[in-house]
Amino acid sequence: MNILSIKPGHDGQVCSIEDGALVFSHEAEKNSGRRYAEASAYDLLSAAGSVQEKPAAIAVSGWSVGASPLGDPIGAGYLGLSTPRITQWNFLGQNILLGTSSHERSHLLCSYAMSPFPQGEPCYALIWEGFLGAIYKIDAGLNISKLVEVMRAPGDRYAFAHAIVDPAFSLPAGKMRLSDAGKVMALAGFYRTVEPSPEEAELLIRVLNSSEPSDCLDKAKYSHLDLYDSGIASDSSKRLARLVTDEIFGRFFEALDRNCKEKYPLLIGGGCGLNCEWNSRLLQLGKFAGVFIPPCCNDTGSAIGTAVDIQWALTGKAKLIWNVYAGQDFEDDLSAIRSAGTGDFRLVGGGLPIIAEALRSGKIMAWVSGRCEIGPRALGNRSILAAPFLSDTRDRLNRIKQRECFRPIAPVCMEEDLMRCFEIGGTSPYMLQFAKVTSPKLGAITHVDGTARPQSVSRAQNALLHDLLFEFRKISGYGVLCNTSLNFKGCGFINRSTDLFRFAREFGLDGVVIEGALFLRPESMIESGHA
């Protein structure tokens, strides 16, 4: 059973599943596409060219026309829990099945299918994103019921905490920048829980209590407040980020506690599943039999969720065999690079020990290996790597990434060193939770509140990256590196050699590593003794 699935709208992607296994998930933004890009006709045709035989079904993940989820439906539309709709379709003279289910179901089925919990085990699910904010129950027969809608548009309300203090924000009422939520998460770390002032309390009530987001997410309505346009790194912005973070989580926690009486596993889906602080709190509750967040919990997993939904409707199977490195193959479009280098980057022998030594000495490297990660987090195949020790390294990485100075840099850690370097209850292969950093030496990856969002790596998960971390630990004492995404500002991951070396030149990287082959600038080679 081969199913080709497409997700329209932002975070567009095309995926293929075959006999219960994820073959690939190609995201439109990857390969230096515009962030949150929609899937194009070329994306669909390119992905279809990777399928070896005619699909048994084409799946369309439900969406809506225009900016509102309540607009005219594409496929099964944005909202709804009805089982998939499957019809016969004429495709290029061939009869084929066409299936669709809602965007709401795509989040539920993605987290259910990718979770380690067996089919038939009842689960609770929390879906929170730009529009949806609800708790569900999935029973043994995969019947889905909505237990409670906690808050409509929790993600948009959360991001509004940044918009209201940012003088550069000028979008009309109800529209948010998709990139702002991550900034609120970073700013919240500057404050512990605080009591709101009367002005802050008024703002929280107006922003979070309105039943219709369009009524409250209008920046012009808050111009009388002192924190209005106070600056993105002001004390007011940090306090507001903490207050909004705590208030939204508190409301969802109370709803979970009130509605989830059985000790079932909890599935988390939607873009708010990328909030590492909220995930950490839920993981530490001990209320559920387990908690699972897929690495593509935002809309980058919607095509997968819909494909599984169609698979379940046709075969009764709702589980998926998958690997996080199921994205696009790297395109090496510089034919001579492997033997000679390119222009101002020269090939250096010596393998992983030399790469580890260059990183220890302060070099910052692009690192490319294998297929691209699925989801928005760089997990060691399209990454920028650096030593984890100096705060100056964090500042340089933020300049390279053209990001605000308050943004933290995440670490990647070999699994064997995880418990030594971080206070964490288990492995963290997808960089989806916070943990206290235990060593003061890891200054580049430690946020102002003493936490980091680590990715743990085992050799089975990513052998080349794990071996590099092992070599780095031998010479530095720590199997930890800075790991941030390899991308131009406003674009998805870099996925071809020409873009890779252009990025390295424009932003002053010291080296590039492709499949373990190291290319250094001549001045870096001299400094490292490799001229």
Side-chain angles (χ1 to χ4, degrees):
M1 172 66 68
N2 186 331
I3 299 170
L4 188 67
S5 179
I6 183 169
K7 190 270 181 184
H10 73 254
D11 283 336
Q13 79 266 184
V14 183
C15 81
S16 173
I17 64 174
E18 184 172 351
D19 298 329
L22 179 64
V23 179
F24 63 77
S25 179
H26 292 179
E27 297 165 25
E29 73 168 41
K30 303 290 171 70
N31 202 359
S32 299
R34 178 178 50 82
R35 285 294 307 277
Y36 318 112
E38 299 185 8
S40 67
Y42 178 79
D43 292 321
L44 178 59
L45 291 171
S46 177
S50 301
V51 178
Q52 300 304 309
E53 60 184 37
K54 185 184 81 171
I58 300 287
V60 177
S61 194
W63 197 245
S64 60
V65 176
S68 171
L70 303 178
D72 292 339
I74 296 173
Y78 202 97
L79 302 175
L81 298 176
S82 299
T83 54
R85 192 169 70 230
I86 300 175
T87 58
Q88 288 285 339
W89 188 44
N90 185 318
F91 180 67
L92 299 178
Q94 300 281 322
N95 286 325
I96 200 168
L97 296 175
L98 177 65
T100 183
S101 60
S102 71
H103 180 70
E104 189 170 12
R105 280 185 68 96
S106 78
H107 283 308
L108 291 158
L109 269 293
C110 177
S111 56
Y112 183 90
M114 298 178 80
S115 77
F117 314 121
Q119 184 168 338
E121 181 175 7
C123 296
Y124 295 117
L126 167 60
I127 306 299
W128 47 355
E129 46 130 70
F131 189 78
L132 296 166
I135 298 166
Y136 307 77
K137 180 182 176 182
I138 305 174
D139 71 12
L142 216 72
N143 299 298
I144 301 172
S145 56
K146 184 182 292 186
L147 299 180
V148 61
E149 183 176 72
V150 183
M151 179 187 296
R152 183 159 287 188
D156 284 353
R157 297 176 202 252
Y158 182 75
F160 190 64
H162 191 74
I164 200 169
V165 300
D166 183 4
F169 183 90
S170 59
L171 294 180
K175 292 190 179 297
M176 291 293 109
R177 295 178 300 208
L178 295 174
S179 60
D180 277 358
K183 299 174 185 178
V184 179
M185 188 167 67
L187 288 165
F190 284 83
Y191 261 89
R192 297 181 183 273
T193 297
V194 292
E195 287 296 319
S197 68
E199 177 180 285
E200 291 164 338
E202 175 197 346
L203 176 63
L204 290 173
I205 290 170
R206 290 181 63 183
V207 170
L208 301 183
N209 285 9
S210 173
S211 60
E212 287 301 324
S214 58
D215 293 341
C216 63
L217 302 183
D218 181 355
K219 183 176 175 177
K221 292 182 177 180
Y222 303 92
S223 60
H224 64 287
L225 301 178
D226 288 340
L227 54 75
Y228 179 87
D229 279 354
S230 58
I232 59 174
S234 66
D235 189 68
S236 295
S237 73
K238 295 167 186 174
R239 280 181 57 92
L240 182 59
R242 170 50 54 199
L243 289 164
V244 169
T245 294
D246 288 346
E247 184 66 22
I248 292 179
F249 180 84
R251 296 188 185 198
F252 277 88
F253 169 74
E254 289 174 8
L256 286 166
D257 194 51
R258 188 169 58 251
N259 290 278
C260 302
K261 299 302 183 182
E262 306 294 333
K263 200 172 179 67
Y264 296 150
L266 176 68
L267 309 172
I268 298 176
C272 293
L274 297 172
N275 188 306
C276 295
E277 180 181 348
W278 289 343
N279 290 342
S280 298
R281 294 193 197 185
L282 292 169
L283 286 162
Q284 292 163 7
L285 282 178
K287 178 180 177 63
F288 303 99
V291 178
F292 176 75
I293 313 108
C296 49
C297 57
N298 64 343
D299 286 4
T300 59
S302 289
I304 296 172
T306 301
V308 172
D309 210 2
I310 303 307
Q311 173 187 268
W312 170 73
L314 295 174
T315 69
K317 296 179 180 179
K319 302 301 290 187
L320 191 65
I321 301 167
W322 61 279
N323 187 296
V324 74
Y325 305 109
Q328 292 94 318
D329 289 309
F330 185 69
E331 299 179 27
D332 193 351
D333 56 351
L334 293 173
S335 58
I337 182 114
R338 295 298 177 88
S339 60
T342 173
D344 49 348
F345 286 87
R346 298 180 187 173
L347 181 64
V348 176
L352 295 181
I354 297 300
I355 298 170
E357 174 57 33
L359 288 165
R360 189 199 62 79
S361 70
K363 303 295 183 287
I364 293 180
M365 308 274 194
W367 173 270
V368 170
S369 177
R371 293 169 67 182
C372 194
E373 303 91 329
I374 61 174
R377 297 272 162 84
L379 299 174
N381 276 14
R382 302 293 183 272
S383 292
I384 301 173
L385 302 180
F389 305 118
L390 302 177
S391 58
D392 287 349
T393 302
R394 178 199 62 224
D395 295 340
R396 184 182 167 197
L397 284 166
N398 275 330
R399 288 194 298 271
I400 288 170
K401 295 295 297 290
Q402 299 180 282
R403 304 194 318 174
E404 298 84 358
C405 61
F406 59 79
R407 301 285 289 276
I409 297 294
V412 59
C413 179
M414 59 189 298
E415 206 169 89
E416 297 89 333
D417 258 15
L418 187 65
M419 301 300 181
R420 180 170 76 93
C421 298
F422 303 96
E423 293 180 8
I424 193 167
T427 60
S428 179
Y430 310 123
M431 201 187 286
L432 288 170
Q433 58 179 302
F434 280 157
K436 285 286 185 182
V437 182
T438 59
S439 172
K441 293 183 179 180
L442 300 175
I445 56 89
T446 305
H447 196 32
V448 66
D449 61 354
T451 68
R453 58 176 196 195
Q455 177 202 358
S456 60
V457 176
S458 67
R459 198 168 196 285
Q461 175 190 345
N462 191 323
L464 189 63
L465 180 59
H466 181 273
D467 289 351
L468 173 66
L469 290 163
F470 179 78
E471 293 293 336
F472 189 77
R473 185 177 67 172
K474 286 198 298 187
I475 59 175
S476 73
Y478 290 87
V480 181
L481 289 168
C482 295
N483 173 23
T484 189
S485 57
L486 177 60
N487 63 287
F488 291 96
K489 184 179 181 180
C491 298
F493 298 164
I494 289 169
N495 205 49
R496 65 179 65 201
S497 298
T498 48
D499 286 342
L500 176 60
F501 282 97
R502 179 165 64 90
F503 180 90
R505 291 186 187 100
E506 287 184 10
F507 296 101
L509 297 190
D510 301 301
V512 170
V513 182
I514 303 175
E515 302 294 357
L518 171 62
F519 303 86
L520 284 176
R521 293 178 182 273
E523 59 268 28
S524 297
M525 295 166 67
I526 292 168
E527 292 169 9
S528 301
H530 304 304

